Amino acid sequence: MFENLCTLPLSAELFTQVLHPTEPLLGVGLSSGHVQCFRLPAADRSSDDDDDSNADVLSDGKGTIDTVWRTRRHKGSCRTLAFSNDGSALYSAGTDYLLKHFSPVTGQVASKIAIPSTRSIPDSPSLLHVLSPQTLLLACDSGALHLLDLRDGALAKSKPQQTHFPHDDFVSSITPLPPSAESTSGYSKQWISTGGTTLAVTDLRRGVLVRSDDQEDELLCAAFIPGMGPKKSRGSGIVAVGTGTGILTLWDKGAWDDQQDRVVVDPVKGGGESLDCIVQVPEDIARGKKVAIGMGDGSLRIVDLVKREVEGTLRHDDIEAVVGIGFDCQGRMISGGGQTIKIWEQAPSLAQDDSESDSDSEADDSDDDDDDDDKVARKNGTKRQTSRNSDNDSDSDEEGSKRKKKRRKGKAPVDLGPHGAHGVLRFNGLD
């Protein structure tokens, strides 16, 4: 299981989050149109390192979360973000119908284009995914999936190389399939997508290959889990798909007509909370095939796919849904939803805790009180940073925030008391 290190408050509702592939960088896109990049501290940072008073302090007191830059990237909401494969570029798309390419280090915009439209009115983006160094996938609310070839200068023109319609509703997830053994580039040319009540497989060269049967349940998120399924050969695996009624469906690779198995994540009669986002837990942390799932009720569930059961439950928020979840390059779990980001670290194993408690019992019992005080101090060790803005786009305030999912309704604010929803101390004047 995981323990919460700190809670990072945001200035507006979170729409999307993305993690750098090799650096401890976190990018967030907000309903206000702002895009913000944070640098997370190194996990092995020394306690002798200098502290920045204008930073969000991690709960161990040894590191800070620094704002690298912050800017209002879009006049409407920032719907989606994506890093390039090597992390050298960051892309965003918003409800101002613009797609922008900029530096993740400085936030400086390199290029931008108008989002292609397949109908008489502009089409809002729903998802971005970088398939390879040459191919950027852009999904829209109309169900259109545009393929932009970056070698052709696609970010300087609005005409995509290809456009497909794998679903009748907006695309809710894109999951690349591993490249075949014959691949010379090492990059995927096929991907799984979900939208509405169907799952589809699309090929970069041949278009939509197959669409599943109607699942009679909204499919919201997906993750490819290698090394599972009936054939455990190279490239084998299953696709775990989260639904709107709290059921995790499992699909064997190559059998895309219908689901092969299911796990009840939220067992509520008549349908549980929605499974809004999913990520595989790194195997060196999980010691097996497990996924972390963000729920519509603000909870996080860890599911063991081998045992087909929920292993544990965590709480991100008491009100808002979890809209983003991932693992950074140092193995920490990052969850986001509402106006908060939470950072989680793997908790010590029960065996390790038992051995430590046995050795401590032989020592002076007075040390327990000091340890408890240290834990409380660490749990409450979060404060807000004064952001350093780099407003490169000179965008004006025009459009209010907009919910990405049509089925989700707004909820009235609730007074959670002086310690917030999860016991994290909040300071007056800091949001």
Side-chain angles (χ1 to χ4, degrees), residues 90-105:
L90 189 56
Y91 305 95
S92 71
T95 53
D96 55 357
Y97 314 114
L98 291 176
L99 189 157
K100 299 186 178 182
H101 162 219
F102 47 95
S103 166
V105 178

Side-chain angles (χ1 to χ4, degrees), residues 146-169:
H146 303 293
L147 279 69
L148 306 178
D149 192 327
L150 303 181
R151 294 170 298 182
D152 295 338
L155 289 181
K157 60 182 182 180
S158 60
K159 185 178 181 181
Q161 186 185 53
Q162 300 177 40
T163 297
H164 303 295
F165 290 88
H167 308 283
D168 297 329
D169 202 348

Side-chain angles (χ1 to χ4, degrees), residues 365-399:
D365 292 338
S366 63
D367 291 341
D368 295 341
D369 294 335
D370 294 337
D371 291 341
D372 291 340
D373 291 341
D374 290 342
K375 292 178 181 178
V376 173
R378 288 197 295 267
K379 288 293 182 182
N380 293 332
T382 303
K383 64 180 181 179
R384 185 68 182 139
Q385 177 185 17
T386 302
S387 302
R388 176 166 57 89
N389 292 343
S390 59
D391 291 331
N392 302 314
D393 287 346
S394 66
D395 291 328
S396 61
D397 296 333
E398 290 182 5
E399 183 180 332

